[in-house]
Amino acid sequence: MHALSIPTWIIHVSSVIEWIAAILLIWTYGEVKRDRTWWGLSFAMLPALVSAMCACTWHFFDNPASLEWLVTLQASMTVLGNITLCAAAWWIWRSAQKPERKNTTTRAAKDVTIDVS
């Protein structure tokens, strides 16, 4: 536990707590909006949370060589988390574009008049 200073520990722990709070708030937002894409974002945030917990665990035990596998797991979860967050952001963006397409099509159909005489 002596590997990090107290202020650094405060930053590490508060970052993990903030990330958990963000996941819960995004999940709740998805429930309020009834939009599953936001639930997807909250799930996509989990690998990054695991990554942060790996870092905190490794530092808590003073960075021993026997736990170096946590460093590899942390790096892997960071990569996976970046990929899942990118995918979730794309899913949210794509779902936000769908109503615009419908409105554009509807407007275009209203503007066209067909003369059948």
Side-chain angles (χ1 to χ4, degrees):
M1 181 124 172
H2 304 293
L4 301 178
S5 65
I6 297 297
T8 305
W9 270 115
I10 291 170
I11 291 169
H12 274 61
V13 172
S14 66
S15 294
V16 170
I17 293 168
E18 288 170 359
W19 199 253
I20 292 168
I23 291 170
L24 294 173
L25 288 171
I26 290 169
W27 182 270
T28 303
Y29 181 76
E31 286 180 339
V32 169
K33 296 290 280 184
R34 296 183 184 190
D35 186 352
R36 291 184 183 190
T37 59
W38 292 99
W39 295 343
L41 177 61
S42 64
F43 276 116
M45 294 172 75
L46 292 176
L49 177 62
V50 171
S51 174
M53 294 173 118
C54 286
C56 288
T57 302
W58 192 59
H59 291 316
F60 182 80
F61 291 107
D62 291 330
N63 311 336
S66 63
L67 292 180
E68 282 205 22
W69 60 271
L70 280 173
V71 177
T72 305
L73 181 60
Q74 178 197 5
S76 301
M77 289 293 104
T78 298
V79 170
L80 179 63
N82 290 342
I83 292 167
T84 58
L85 286 169
C86 181
W90 176 80
W91 190 25
I92 291 169
W93 174 79
R94 192 184 75 167
S95 73
Q97 301 302 312
K98 287 181 181 178
E100 286 181 15
R101 290 183 192 152
K102 289 178 184 174
N103 291 339
T104 304
T105 305
T106 306
R107 278 190 232 132
K110 287 180 182 177
D111 292 338
V112 175
T113 57
I114 300 173
D115 187 18
V116 287
S117 47

